[in-house]
Amino acid sequence: MILRTLLATTAISLFAVTAAAAQDRPADPPPAPTPAAEEEEEGTQVDEVVVRGVRPDILSQADRMSYSVTNDLQAQSGSVADVLRNVPGVEVDLQGNVSLRGDGNVTILIDGRPSAMFTGGSRADALQAMPGGTLERVEVITNPSAAFSPEGSGGIINLVTKKTPQSAQATQSGTLRLGYGGDGRYNASLSGGRRDGPLTVAGDLGFRNQEGENVSERDRFRPGPMPADQRIERNRNVNDGRFRSTNARLSADYDLNDRDRISGELGWREFSVGGDGVETFSRTDGNGLVLDSYARDGSTSFGNDGFNGRTTWRRKFDGDLHELVVDLEFSQFENERLTEAFTDYTAGPGADFAERIGGGSTSDEWGVKADYTRPLGERSNVKVGYELDVEEDIFDNFGFRGPDFSSLAPVANLTSEFRYDETIHAAYVTHDRPFGDLDVQFGLRLEQVEFTIDQVTQNVQASRDYFRAYPTLNFGYQLTDSQRLRGGYSRRISRPQPQDLNPFTTYVDVQNLRRGNPDLDPEITDSFELGWQMRQGRTFYSATLFYRDSSGGVTDVVQDLGNGVVLTTRENLGEAQRTGVEFIANGQLPAGISYNVSGTLLKNDIFVPGVAGSDRSGTTASVRASLNWQPTEVDFFQVNGFYNGEQLQAQGYREPFGILNLGYRRKLTDDLSLTLTGVNVLDSAEQKVVIDTADFSDRVTNRFQEPAFFVGLTWNFGGGPRRPEQFDFNTGQGPG
C-alpha cells in the first residue's frame, strides 16, 4: 500500500510539473539562474573535465574519481557492464559480477541513490540489461564520505545518467541508435529531452536482444585410497540461450522560482534470461568403470521487472552551495525463475524423472533523505543529513517431480517461503575545511539497523538490531600547479543479503544444493589509501596505494555430503587483508592517437576459521587499455581490451581471462554515423574456476560469447547539443 501511494505521488509530481509549465508559465521567461548556480552547473559539465575527446575524461574530487563515458565507444548499444569493464579499478567478470580492487562487496548507485535492481543475485543480469548509452559518467568512490551509506566493503560505483542541458531558451534534442549483429543480436534505443524555460523533461527507451550458445563444463574429482574408491564426475551443459531487456525512464524538473525546484522521475526495467539445453553427466571410478550417467533435457527461464520513482524538492539559499535537498523515493521489483527438465539415466541405479522447479521474489523498498549544506567560508562548508531506508522482501520456492510431466507431484523439501524486513535510520555530518594548501573533509555517520527473518516453512524466526558509527576522512594537498596528493580513510560494512540468511536448503541441480546461514554477521572493513596525481595539458597520470583490513566477510564454503551431492553454505570470513597499487595513464600521442591505460596489482590474504586449507595468500593483477586513432575528421578507429589475472577465492581461484575488441566509426553527415565493431575477436571469452578441498576438487569452465561483428547507426536530431557517437563492444554475458 505504501509503495502504491509513493508511485502515485511520483506520477502526480511528473504530471504536475508538466501541467504547471504548460498552463501557468508566464509570458516572459523567468529570471536566469543566479551566477552561483551557473558556475556550479558549468563546473560540473565543463570546468571539471580534464581531457576532452579522450576516453575517459578524468576528474578527481575529495572522495572519488569520476570518469566521463560520453565518448566511450562501448556505450552506443552495449550494456552498463560493458562500460564498467573499461573504468579504472573496476573488474567485471563474464557473468557480470563486479568488484573493486578485488572486493566483490560493491554498492552500485544510480545518480547517487540505491536501487533494488542492483542488489541480490540478479544484479549481474541487471547490469547487462541496462543500456550503457544512458550514462554520462561513472564515479568510483573507494573511500566514500559519511553522506553515503557505508554498505559495501569494496566501495561505491555511482552511475550518473545523462541530463538535458539547462538553458533559459527552449531547446530540444534526441538520439536514435540501432544495432544489428546477426544470429538474434540486435538493439535499439531512443533518448531525448526538452528544456523550455523553467521546465525540463527527459526520457529514455531501449530494447536489447541477444541469442547464442553457451557451454559450461565441470570436472569433479574425489580422491580415494584405491582407484576403485576414486570418483571422477563430468558435467557438460550446452544451452541455446536468449537475453532480452527493455527499459524506460521519464523525468521532469520544474523551477518554481530562482530558489526552488521540484523534480520527479519514474523508471521501468524488465529483462529475461532463458534457454533450452542438454546436460550430460557421468560418474566413473579410477579404473574407468561407469557407475552412473544421465542426460538432462530441459529449459530454464529467469525474469525480473520493476518500477522505481523519486520526488525531490531543492531549496537554494543565499551563498554558494547553501541548499536543502529532500528526496522521497521507492522501488518495487519482482523476480521469477522456472526450470523444467527430464532426466534420462543411461547407466546406474537411478530412475528417470521429470521435474518443474521454480520460485519468485518481491522486493519493496522506500526511503527518505534530507541534506542541508551550509558554507562556512572560502573552501569550507558543513553538511548534515538524515536518511531512512525500509526494505521488505518475500521469497517463494516450489518443486514438483514425477516419472513424467503428466504425473508431477509436489516435493516438500523443494517448497518454502521466506520473509525479510529491514529498517535503517542514519544521521550524518561532513565538514570540509582548508589548512593552507591542504583541503580536508571530516565525516561521521551513525546508523541504527533493525531486521527480522521469518522462514515460514520451517517456522524459524530471528531478529537483530545494532548501532554502529562510521568515521570518514578525505584530504587533498596541492604539491605544485600540476601535481596533487589525495588520500582517505573510511569504515565500511557489508551486510549479508537476505537469501544468505535463509536456513532452508534449496535445490540447484542433482549434484548441488545451497543453504543460507541465519547466524551470519556483517563484514567490517577499514579502508586506507594515498594517491599521487599529475595533470599536464591533456595528460593525466596517477598512482594510488591502498590497504583494506576486513573481518567477518561472507563467503561460499563447499561441503561434500556424499553420494555425489555437494552443499554450498555461507560463512563469515575470519580475516582478509588487501594491499595493492592502482595506476592510470591518459593522454595523447602524435598523429591523432590517444590512449588510456590503467591497472591494479593486488596482494590478497584470507583466512576462514574451521575450513581446512583456507589460510590463503595470493597476488593478482588486472589491466585495461584503449587506443584511439582519428586520421580524419570523419573517421575514428579504436582498439580496447582488458585482462584480469588469477584471483584468489576462499577454497580455490579463478583463472586469468581477457577480451579484445575493435571498432570503426564513419561520420556520414553531421547527424548520422555508421559504426562497425568486432567483439571478442580473439575468442577468449572463457572463464575457469578451480575449487580445491580435502574431499574433492572442481574445475568449472564457462564460455559465454563467440566472436561477433556488429553494424550500427546513430542519428542525432533536434536543436540541442550533439552527443558524441559511440560504438558497441558487447562483451557481457551472452544469453542463458
Side-chain angles (χ1 to χ4, degrees):
M1 182 64 183
I2 294 175
L3 287 176
R4 292 192 183 98
T5 302
L6 290 172
L7 176 60
T9 302
T10 307
I12 290 171
S13 71
L14 280 168
F15 288 114
V17 297
T18 307
Q23 299 177 11
D24 301 331
R25 186 170 67 246
D28 296 328
T34 63
E38 288 182 346
E39 290 174 5
E40 182 181 349
E41 293 283 359
E42 293 174 358
T44 298
Q45 298 181 14
V46 178
D47 293 344
E48 291 178 337
V49 175
V50 177
V51 183
R52 299 197 56 163
V54 181
R55 186 188 59 83
D57 299 334
I58 300 173
L59 165 67
S60 172
Q61 295 177 330
D63 61 349
R64 72 196 69 183
M65 296 290 289
S66 180
Y67 305 95
S68 171
V69 296
T70 55
N71 290 320
D72 188 334
L73 305 186
Q74 298 196 44
Q76 175 183 345
S77 50
S79 68
V80 170
D82 301 325
V83 174
L84 290 178
R85 287 191 175 94
N86 290 318
V87 174
V90 180
E91 291 186 8
V92 185
D93 68 15
L94 297 180
Q95 294 173 302
N97 299 303
V98 178
S99 61
L100 274 175
R101 297 173 176 173
D103 191 337
N105 292 317
V106 179
T107 296
I108 297 179
L109 307 179
I110 299 180
D111 294 325
R113 297 294 291 165
S115 171
M117 181 177 63
F118 292 135
T119 60
S122 63
R123 183 173 78 172
D125 292 320
L127 284 172
Q128 296 176 105
M130 183 176 177
T134 63
L135 300 184
E136 177 180 324
R137 65 183 188 271
V138 175
E139 296 179 340
V140 178
I141 314 174
T142 49
N143 276 321
S145 75
F148 290 98
S149 167
E151 177 67 32
S153 60
I156 293 174
I157 296 174
N158 184 30
L159 308 175
V160 182
T161 58
K162 292 177 179 176
K163 306 296 189 297
T164 300
Q166 302 295 308
S167 172
Q169 304 298 322
T171 62
Q172 60 185 11
S173 62
T175 301
L176 174 66
R177 299 182 179 93
L178 303 173
Y180 179 72
D183 297 327
R185 298 184 179 95
Y186 51 89
N187 54 74
S189 66
L190 176 66
S191 61
R194 178 177 175 82
R195 170 74 178 180
D196 191 358
L199 175 68
T200 301
V201 179
D204 300 288
L205 179 64
F207 176 79
R208 293 165 54 84
N209 190 83
Q210 293 177 238
E211 298 179 8
E213 182 180 85
N214 293 336
V215 179
S216 63
E217 298 177 341
R218 182 180 67 212
D219 292 333
R220 178 173 291 169
F221 175 74
R222 290 183 169 86
M226 301 291 292
D229 301 313
Q230 298 172 353
R231 296 294 180 265
I232 302 171
E233 301 171 359
R234 291 188 171 91
N235 284 74
R236 178 178 171 84
N237 195 331
V238 180
N239 185 53
D240 291 323
R242 55 190 175 274
F243 182 96
R244 182 173 299 166
S245 67
T246 307
N247 70 281
R249 181 174 64 102
L250 176 65
S251 66
D253 299 317
Y254 185 69
D255 294 327
L256 299 171
N257 48 56
D258 60 355
R259 291 181 178 270
D260 296 283
R261 173 182 293 177
I262 58 172
S263 305
E265 180 175 297
L266 288 174
W268 172 73
R269 290 187 175 90
E270 179 272 335
F271 66 86
S272 61
V273 182
D276 302 313
V278 176
E279 175 192 2
T280 57
F281 170 81
S282 67
R283 180 186 290 115
T284 64
D285 64 14
N287 296 316
L289 176 65
V290 177
L291 303 177
D292 62 320
S293 64
Y294 64 78
R296 191 167 183 256
D297 190 349
S299 64
T300 60
S301 63
F302 172 81
N304 175 287
D305 64 82
F307 291 91
N308 64 279
R310 180 192 305 176
T311 302
T312 303
W313 170 57
R314 176 181 176 180
R315 171 73 173 181
K316 283 196 170 186
F317 303 96
D318 293 336
D320 192 20
L321 298 179
H322 191 188
E323 65 179 16
L324 172 67
V325 180
V326 180
D327 282 322
L328 172 66
E329 62 181 335
F330 74 93
S331 63
Q332 183 178 64
F333 287 89
E334 296 183 0
N335 294 320
E336 292 185 353
R337 68 183 189 284
L338 179 65
T339 298
E340 294 183 312
F342 183 80
T343 301
D344 178 16
Y345 275 89
T346 56
D352 298 348
F353 66 93
E355 60 185 350
R356 180 179 293 119
I357 299 173
S361 65
T362 60
S363 179
D364 296 346
E365 296 186 23
W366 65 274
V368 178
K369 185 176 183 181
D371 282 321
Y372 174 69
T373 305
R374 182 180 180 87
L376 301 178
E378 185 179 0
R379 294 160 54 199
S380 180
N381 66 77
V382 64
K383 174 185 285 189
V384 296
Y386 167 78
E387 187 172 358
L388 168 67
D389 290 301
V390 178
E391 177 181 352
E392 300 173 353
D393 299 321
I394 301 176
F395 302 87
D396 291 302
N397 295 307
F398 64 84
F400 299 85
R401 283 205 183 110
D404 52 53
F405 285 107
S406 63
S407 55
L408 294 176
V411 180
N413 62 2
L414 297 178
T415 304
S416 70
E417 179 180 341
F418 176 68
R419 296 174 177 265
Y420 178 85
D421 298 323
E422 180 184 74
T423 301
I424 301 177
H425 297 271
Y428 52 89
V429 58
T430 65
H431 178 38
D432 296 75
R433 66 161 299 175
F435 298 89
D437 291 333
L438 177 67
D439 293 304
V440 181
Q441 181 191 75
F442 306 93
L444 179 65
R445 187 181 183 97
L446 306 176
E447 284 194 350
Q448 174 66 32
V449 179
E450 303 170 358
F451 71 87
T452 62
I453 63 172
D454 184 5
Q455 175 37 256
V456 179
T457 305
Q458 295 177 321
N459 193 28
V460 176
Q461 293 84 32
S463 62
R464 290 191 192 179
D465 65 90
Y466 54 90
F467 177 82
R468 298 276 171 85
Y470 304 95
T472 65
L473 173 67
N474 291 282
F475 67 88
Y477 182 74
Q478 200 69 33
L479 294 171
T480 68
D481 290 342
S482 61
Q483 298 185 59
R484 183 175 178 84
L485 289 177
R486 64 184 294 269
Y489 161 78
S490 65
R491 173 160 288 185
R492 310 286 297 161
I493 187 172
S494 288
R495 302 178 181 92
Q497 293 295 313
Q499 282 287 56
D500 292 334
L501 302 169
N502 187 357
F504 191 85
T505 302
T506 58
Y507 174 86
V508 179
D509 57 41
V510 178
Q511 282 80 43
N512 295 276
L513 305 175
R514 192 172 188 88
R515 184 170 64 217
N517 179 359
D519 296 324
L520 289 176
D521 293 318
E523 176 189 33
I524 300 296
T525 297
D526 290 301
S527 175
F528 305 83
E529 67 178 59
L530 177 64
W532 166 84
Q533 299 171 347
M534 183 177 72
R535 292 186 173 98
Q536 287 185 336
R538 302 181 67 181
T539 301
F540 177 85
Y541 298 112
S542 77
T544 303
L545 297 171
F546 61 89
Y547 173 74
R548 291 176 179 168
D549 186 9
S550 303
S551 60
V554 178
T555 188
D556 283 343
V557 176
V558 183
Q559 306 174 35
D560 189 351
L561 301 182
N563 297 321
V565 179
V566 168
L567 172 67
T568 300
T569 58
R570 302 286 272 169
E571 299 289 346
N572 283 112
L573 189 69
E575 188 176 355
Q577 290 87 34
R578 296 178 177 89
T579 307
V581 60
E582 177 183 275
F583 70 88
I584 301 170
N586 183 291
Q588 285 201 318
L589 300 172
I593 298 175
S594 61
Y595 64 90
N596 181 67
V597 181
S598 62
T600 303
L601 179 64
L602 168 70
K603 184 176 185 295
N604 193 8
D605 299 290
I606 60 177
F607 174 68
V608 183
V611 179
S614 60
D615 191 355
R616 303 168 58 80
S617 179
T619 301
T620 186
S622 64
V623 64
R624 55 199 61 81
S626 177
L627 190 66
N628 304 323
W629 178 42
Q630 188 168 3
T632 72
E633 293 183 357
V634 297
D635 296 296
F636 191 91
F637 296 86
Q638 184 181 80
V639 179
N640 78 23
F642 70 91
Y643 176 83
N644 292 335
E646 181 179 295
Q647 188 174 63
L648 188 69
Q649 298 181 347
Q651 290 178 287
Y653 58 91
R654 188 195 67 195
E655 292 189 0
F657 72 98
I659 287 178
L660 182 69
N661 306 306
L662 304 174
Y664 167 71
R665 182 192 70 216
R666 175 75 177 184
K667 192 173 183 179
L668 304 177
T669 70
D670 288 342
D671 300 323
L672 185 64
S673 295
L674 171 71
T675 60
L676 302 173
T677 58
V679 179
N680 185 31
V681 295
L682 299 181
D683 195 16
S684 57
E686 180 177 273
Q687 188 168 289
K688 297 181 179 180
V689 177
V690 176
I691 298 176
D692 284 314
T693 73
D695 298 322
F696 69 94
S697 61
D698 265 358
R699 302 291 187 273
V700 181
T701 302
N702 289 291
R703 292 186 56 81
F704 292 94
Q705 186 177 42
E706 296 179 351
F709 296 89
F710 293 82
V711 59
L713 288 173
T714 300
W715 175 44
N716 293 300
F717 57 90
R722 294 289 183 257
R723 289 174 178 170
E725 297 88 349
Q726 299 164 328
F727 287 141
D728 169 28
F729 292 133
N730 182 8
T731 59
Q733 174 188 355

